[in-house]
Amino acid sequence: MLKEPAPKLPLEQLEKNFADINPPLTAAQALEEGSRCLFCHDAPCIKACPTGIDVPHFIRQIITGNLRGSARTILEANILGQSCARVCPTSVLCEGACVLNAEGKKPVEIGRLQRYAVDPVIARGTQLFKPGTPNGYRVALIGAGPASLSCAAELRKRGYQTVIFDSNPQPGGLNTYGIAAYKMRARDVAMEVEMVRSLGVEIRSGVTIGKAVSVAELERDYDATFIGVGLGETEDLRIPGEDLAGCRDALSFIEETKSKSFDQVQVAKRVAVIGAGNTAIDVVTAARRLGAEEVYMVYRRSPEEMSAFDYEYELAKKDTVAFVWQAQPVRVVDGSGDRAGHVQALECVRTQRGPKDTRGRSSFVPVPGTEFRLDVGMVVKALGQKRKLEFLQAIPNLELANGCIVVDPQTMQTRNPRYFAGGDCVNGGGEVVDAVAHGKKAALGIHHVLESVAGRKAATTSQV
Amino acid sequence: MPDLTINFCGVRSPNPFWLASGPPTNSAYQIMRAFDAGWGGAVWKTIGEPIINTASRYGSIDLKNERMMGLNNIELISDRPVEDNLREIAEVKKRFPQHTVIASLMVESKRATWHDIVRRAEDAGADLLELNFGCPHGMSERGMGAAVGQVPEYATMITGWVKEVSRTPLIVKLTPNVTDIAHMAAAAKAGGADAVSLVNTFNSIVSIDIDTYAPRPSVAGLGSHGGYCGPAVKPIALHMVSSVAKHADIPISGIGGIGNWRDAVEFMLLGSTSVQVCTAAMHYGFRIVRDMIDGLENYLDEKGFSSAMELVGKSVPRIEDWGNLDLNYKIIARIDAQKCIGCNLCYIACEDGAHQCIRVEERPQGDLRHGGLPKHVPHILEDECVGCNLCALVCPVPDCISMVEINKDHQPMSWKQLQEARGKNPQCSNEELLHGKAAGRST
Ligand SMILES: Cc1cc2nc3c(=O)[nH]c(=O)nc-3n(C[C@H](O)[C@H](O)[C@H](O)COP(=O)(O)OP(=O)(O)OC[C@H]3O[C@@H](n4cnc5c(N)ncnc54)[C@H](O)[C@@H]3O)c2cc1C
Ligand SMILES: Cc1cc2nc3c(=O)[nH]c(=O)nc-3n(C[C@H](O)[C@H](O)[C@H](O)COP(=O)(O)O)c2cc1C
Ligand code: SF4
C-alpha cells in the first residue's frame, strides 16, 4: 500500500484517460486521407518500414474498396500489422519518409490507414493465409513476443510445425504487457495472437525455458530454435533507499496498467520517474492519467540528450509533467513515523556539462552542494532494461556482444547454427516492427538452412 | 479462387485487363514490363506508316487536388518503322505465349495496303487485330482513323477488305465522335468484324491559357483539337458500351476512363468481355493492375461468381427505355440528424436547384452530439420531396442522407402503360390512371 495515494478516480474517468490516442478512422476519413497519397513510384515509405509494407499499394486498395486485399497486402509483409499500426513511431518511420513532408504538407497518416484496413479483418477473424503443406520440420520458439509470433507465422506458411514457449500467462510479450494502454490494450493483442494461432502455431504459456523445459530438451525435440526472449528487468539505480516500499521499476508498473482494471492500479499523489526514454514517458503519462497530481521526470542530462521520440515528449508535455533536467538521484529518502520503510522523497543533485566522452557525447557531472529533494510518495525507475545474460549464457556457443546475441544479419542465424534469434535480445531494444522484421527474416533463414541441409523441398506460401 | 481468364472471340486471355493502344504499348520493352506486372493483354500502339509527332502533345484538367481527371492528346499513331513494331510483336509473343497481343493497324484506305499490313501483322504472331477507325485528330485529316470510323460505308468496306485475308479474329475500334455508336458497330459487323472495341478519344479542346491565349497543349503557341480520355469520359463510354451491347450483337472490348477493378467490373456488367486502359497506366504505371486483379478476384469471390466471364452483360437488361420505367415507384430523402455536420449544402441545393423541400430547424433538445454542434439541422418536408436525389448527391457525409422507398407495395405503371391506359380511358386524369382508379386498366 502506498502511504499517500492519489485520490481515486472513477473507472469511467480512468477509461477516458486511457482512451485510444489515435482513434480509428471512419470510412469517410479513410477515403479522404487515403486520397492524399500520391501513389509514388519506388516510394520512400516502403523503404522506411522495417517490414517493407507496400504502403501506396495498400492505400490504393482502400480507395478502390478492396479492403480485404488491402489487409492482405499489409499482413503479408507484417503479420502483426495491427499492432504496428497502433504502436509504430510512424513519424520517424513511414510517415517521416512521406514525400508530402518535403512540400511542407502533412504526411499521409499511414499508421491510421493501416489500422483502418487491418482492424476489420482481425476483428472478424477472416482467414487470409493458410498453412503450407507440412514439411516434417519442427521449430521451437522461446518467447511469445512480436519476434517469435512473426517468425512462427512465417514458418507455418511454409509448412513448419511450430511451438512457442513463454513464461507469461498471456502471449504477446511487451505488446501485451508493456506498450502504453492508450496505444493498445491487451485485448487487441489477444485478437491478433489468435490470428497467428489460427495458422496452426502452438503457444505454450506459463512455460519458462531453462526451468520447466530445458534448452537441451528443445535441441532434442526440434530441428531448430528461435530465440525471441526480449530483454530483462529494469536496471537498478544502485543508490540507497532503492528497496523502500513505493520505489518500483517501470515495467512492473506498466504491466499493471495493462493487465488490471485501471482502478486497481495504485499510484501516489506525487511521483518521480527516473529516466528520459520512451519507457519513462509511458510511466509519467500513465501516472498522470491514473490521477497522480504531480509527476516529475528526472533526468541526469539535458533535453538534447533525451532518447524519447519528439512526439512522445510532446505527449508528456500535454499531460503536464514537470521535467527535472540535469538532476541525478542520489538517495531515496525513507519516511519517518508511520511512513517508515516507505518512500518520503527523492534526493537529487544538480549536474553540469563535463568534458565530451570518446563518442562526442557530453558527460554530466554532479555539482557538490546542489542537493535538493522532491517530496514524492513513489519513485519509478525507467532506466532501460537489463540483458538476459544468465539465460543466454546457458545456451552453448552463443556469441554475445554487449549482452546482445550476435547474428548473421541476412539469416538471423547465431554462431550456434541450431539457433536463430531476433527482436530486442538481438538489437538491445528496438520497436515492435523491428522485432517483426527480425522474426520474418529468421523464418526465411531457418527455411533456407533446413532446406539446404536436407535438400528437401518445403512447401511455399499459399493463400486462401 | 475465381477464374479470371476470359475467352475473347476464341482467344484465351489470362485476365480481362488489357492495355489500350497508346504510349504505354509503344514497344516490346514496355509491353513485357506490363505482362510481368500482370496485364493479360496489350493492344500495340497503332502500327502504320511512321508519323512525326509534335511537342507538346498532352494537356489535362485537374479536379481540385486530383490530377489528370481528363487527358487530351494530339499525338498520332506509332512513329516507329512498321518492321520494328512487327519484329517486337514476335519477340513478345515468344516470351509471353499465353498473353494476348493485339496488333492495332491503320493504313491508307487502299485495299492492297490493308492486305499487306494484315498479313504481316499476323505473320508476326498477333493473336488479334484491331483496326483503328477512331483517332479523331491528325490522322483523320489524312483520310484515316475517324475519317473512316465516322462513315459507316467506309467502315464496312475496309473491314471487308481486311476480312478477305485475315485469319485471326478482328476487332474494329470505334470512335465516339458519332451520333449513334451502335450504328457504327453494326457497320463494322456488316463488314465482318468479330468484335468491336470502344471508345477511342473524344474531340476536345482541353483548355486555353488565358494569359497567352494559346490552347493547351501548345505547339509554339498554336494548338489543334485533340482526343479526350481518362476518368472524365467514363460515364459517356459506359453509355456507348451499353448501347452497342443492347443493339448490336457483337463481343465488346470496353475502353474509356478505366483506372481500377471497380471501373472494370462496371464495363463488364454492361457487356465488355475485356477492358482496355490507357490514361491510368500513363498516370501511375503498369503496377495498378495488381489491385485490379486482386480486387476483381475478391469481388467475384464475395459475390459468389466462379469466373469473370459470368459478369459480362449482367447489367445490360437493366438499361431500359425511359418509357418503361415505373412512374409509381416513390422514394424520398431522409436525413440522419445524428450524422449531419451542418454544412447546409442539401438545403441550398434543394432550395435553389430543386423543389424547395428542405427546412433548417433547431436541433431537438438534448441531442448534443458533435460537441453540441451544429445547432441547426435540415429536415425533409416529406410530402413535398420528389425523390430527385440531389441533396444526397451533394451531401459530403456518407449515409447521412439516404433515399428511402415509401410505397413498397404499389402497382407499377410505366409511361408506355400510361399511354395505353389513357387510350382506353380518355376521360381519366393522369393521377387516376396512375393509381389504377380507372376501370379496365391494363396491368
Ligand atoms: C514500456 C515499453 C513501451 C514500449 N512502447 C513501444 C511502442 O510504443 N512502440 C513500439 O514499436 N515499441 C515499443 N516498445 C518496444 C517493443 O515492445 C519491443 O521492441 C518488442 O516487444 C520486442 O519484441 P520481442 O519479441 O523481441 O520481445 P518481447 O516483447 O519482450 O517478448 C519476449 C517474450 O519472451 C518471454 N521469455 C523471456 N525469457 C523466456 C524464457 N526463458 N522462457 C520462456 N519465455 C521467455 C517473455 O515472457 C516475453 O513474453 C516498448 C517497450 C517497452 C518496454
Ligand atoms: C496519348 C494517347 C495516344 C493514343 N494513341 C492511340 C493509338 O495510337 N491508337 C488507338 O487506337 N488509340 C490511341 N489512344 C486512345 C486509347 O487507346 C483509348 O482508346 C483512350 O485513351 C480511352 O481510354 P482511357 O480513358 O483509358 O485513356 C491514345 C490515347 C492517348 C491518351
Ligand atoms: S514525360 Fe517528361 S521527360 Fe518524359 S518524354 Fe515527356 S516531357 Fe520528356
Side-chain angles (χ1 to χ4, degrees), chain A residues 25-40:
Chain A
L25 296 171
T26 63
Q29 289 168 331
L31 188 64
E32 182 168 321
E33 189 57 22
S35 303
R36 298 178 59 234
C37 172
L38 298 179
F39 198 48
C40 300

Side-chain angles (χ1 to χ4, degrees), chain B residues 74-268:
Chain B
I74 56 166
E75 146 177 334
L76 306 182
I77 63 171
S78 179
D79 57 4
R80 309 176 63 216
V82 175
E83 314 70 72
D84 290 8
N85 282 315
L86 297 180
R87 193 188 62 247
E88 291 186 11
I89 288 181
E91 276 168 33
V92 172
K93 272 313 290 183
K94 203 163 149 212
R95 244 196 77 194
F96 292 92
Q98 302 302 319
H99 288 65
T100 312
V101 175
I102 302 110
S104 167
L105 306 174
M106 185 199 289
V107 291
E108 268 184 294
S109 298
K110 288 190 182 144
R111 188 174 186 173
T113 318
W114 274 106
H115 283 182
D116 178 60
I117 192 76
V118 165
R119 288 205 183 95
R120 289 167 72 193
E122 290 189 343
D123 288 346
D127 299 295
L128 290 144
L129 303 177
E130 186 179 88
L131 307 188
N132 180 348
F133 291 170
C135 185
H137 48 264
M139 303 312 293
S140 48
E141 293 170 21
R142 307 175 195 180
M144 295 183 259
V148 174
Q150 286 169 332
V151 184
E153 295 76 16
Y154 288 173
T156 307
M157 177 179 76
I158 294 180
T159 308
W161 290 347
V162 169
K163 282 305 276 188
E164 286 164 7
V165 294
S166 67
R167 290 162 279 140
T168 48
L170 177 66
I171 309 170
V172 169
K173 183 167 178 179
L174 303 177
T175 172
N177 301 307
V178 293
T179 326
D180 178 6
I181 199 148
H183 189 72
M184 300 310 303
K189 197 180 170 193
D194 300 289
V196 289
S197 55
L198 65 156
V199 296
N200 209 311
T201 52
F202 294 78
N203 283 332
S204 65
I205 287 183
V206 81
S207 80
I208 298 289
D209 183 328
I210 60 168
D211 294 319
T212 66
Y213 317 117
R216 292 194 182 93
S218 144
V219 180
L222 297 181
S224 189
H225 79 268
Y228 195 50
C229 52
V233 309
K234 191 185 110 184
I236 316 174
L238 276 176
H239 159 248
M240 293 188 160
V241 164
S242 80
S243 161
V244 171
K246 248 194 138 55
H247 304 293
D249 180 25
I250 189 163
I252 299 169
S253 183
I255 320 171
I258 298 168
N260 59 47
W261 64 271
R262 283 180 175 275
D263 301 332
V265 168
E266 291 180 67
F267 274 83
M268 294 182 80

Side-chain angles (χ1 to χ4, degrees), chain A residues 370-409:
Chain A
T370 59
E371 287 78 4
F372 64 100
R373 279 184 178 196
L374 296 169
D375 286 327
V376 292
M378 187 169 156
V379 170
V380 186
K381 305 177 269 185
L383 297 168
Q385 290 169 265
K386 290 182 194 164
R387 312 298 191 228
K388 283 197 152 17
L389 276 182
E390 202 185 325
F391 173 77
L392 297 179
Q393 280 162 352
I395 298 174
N397 302 325
L398 273 197
E399 186 185 329
L400 302 179
N402 255 331
C404 297
I405 308 172
V406 175
V407 295
D408 171 345

Side-chain angles (χ1 to χ4, degrees), chain A residues 87 143 146-147 166-168 174 179 183 209 282 388 424 430-432:
Chain A
V87 310
D166 197 295
S167 346
N168 283 329
L174 287 173
I179 307 274
K183 291 185 189 166
I209 301 300
D282 288 349
K388 283 197 152 17
D424 281 359
E431 311 305 323
V432 171

Side-chain angles (χ1 to χ4, degrees), chain A residues 306-328:
Chain A
M306 176 173 66
S307 64
F309 295 123
D310 287 347
Y311 73 92
E312 296 277 11
Y313 181 29
E314 289 305 317
L315 211 57
K317 282 194 216 161
K318 263 197 228 143
D319 281 0
T320 52
V321 166
F323 301 93
V324 186
W325 305 110
Q326 293 189 234
Q328 180 172 331

